[in-house]
Amino acid sequence: PGRSVADYAFDHVLLGGLLVLLMFAPLAFGAVEEWSLFVLRVGAAGLISIWMLQQVLRAEVDLVVSPLFIPCAVYGFLLVLQSTLPLSAYRHATVDESLNYCVYGIVLFLAVQTVRYDADAKLFATVISTFGFLLACFAVVQNLSEPGVLYWVRKAVGGAVFGPYVNRNHY
């Protein structure tokens, strides 16, 4: 409704990129290893850059504000306090996890900005639901065929393997 062709294209690139990023993370062992965290961080930075470029080309900022931003901002403020003041027992881990929190905040922000029309919301819900169902089926097949091995290739040390996750609670 009232969107230019460029806006339409940007919105679809952002939605597609967001979906790819959200599906990549669980497939990459839950995005907890350095290489997968790097891909997640670079992907989020790339998507927010595309969103900012869209705003610059539009010559005005079209921002959707969500009530979800309030608790995220409060938690972000606490992270900034903990990172800047000597409150952390292990500063490197605090800063590293703060960076992850920024990535998760970018993904939330982009989801709110991108999934704003009914057709986009239906597509988003359909893709994520289908992906979740297929991942669950895959996890069951993998568990029945060769338990304790990730993707039939990588032996897990400790924990219970179920799909791409080593800890059943994460699944």
Side-chain angles (χ1 to χ4, degrees), residues 2 7 51-63:
D7 271 345
W51 181 83
M52 288 190 288
L53 177 63
Q54 179 187 26
Q55 303 310 306
V56 167
L57 293 176
R58 184 186 285 155
E60 65 177 333
V61 177
D62 184 17
L63 188 66

Side-chain angles (χ1 to χ4, degrees), residues 33-107:
E33 297 180 354
E34 291 300 321
W35 68 270
S36 56
L37 277 172
F38 175 77
V39 172
L40 191 64
R41 290 171 180 173
V42 168
L47 288 175
I48 197 70
S49 298
I50 292 170
W51 181 83
M52 288 190 288
L53 177 63
Q54 179 187 26
Q55 303 310 306
V56 167
L57 293 176
R58 184 186 285 155
E60 65 177 333
V61 177
D62 184 17
L63 188 66
V64 176
V65 179
S66 170
L68 294 172
F69 295 163
I70 296 170
C72 290
V74 170
Y75 188 72
F77 177 72
L78 292 174
L79 282 175
V80 168
L81 280 180
Q82 189 174 12
S83 297
T84 55
L85 299 176
L87 300 174
S88 175
Y90 185 28
R91 184 168 166 70
H92 175 73
T94 301
V95 171
D96 195 47
E97 289 305 318
S98 297
L99 182 58
N100 289 341
Y101 182 76
C102 290
V103 169
Y104 306 147
I106 288 171
V107 170

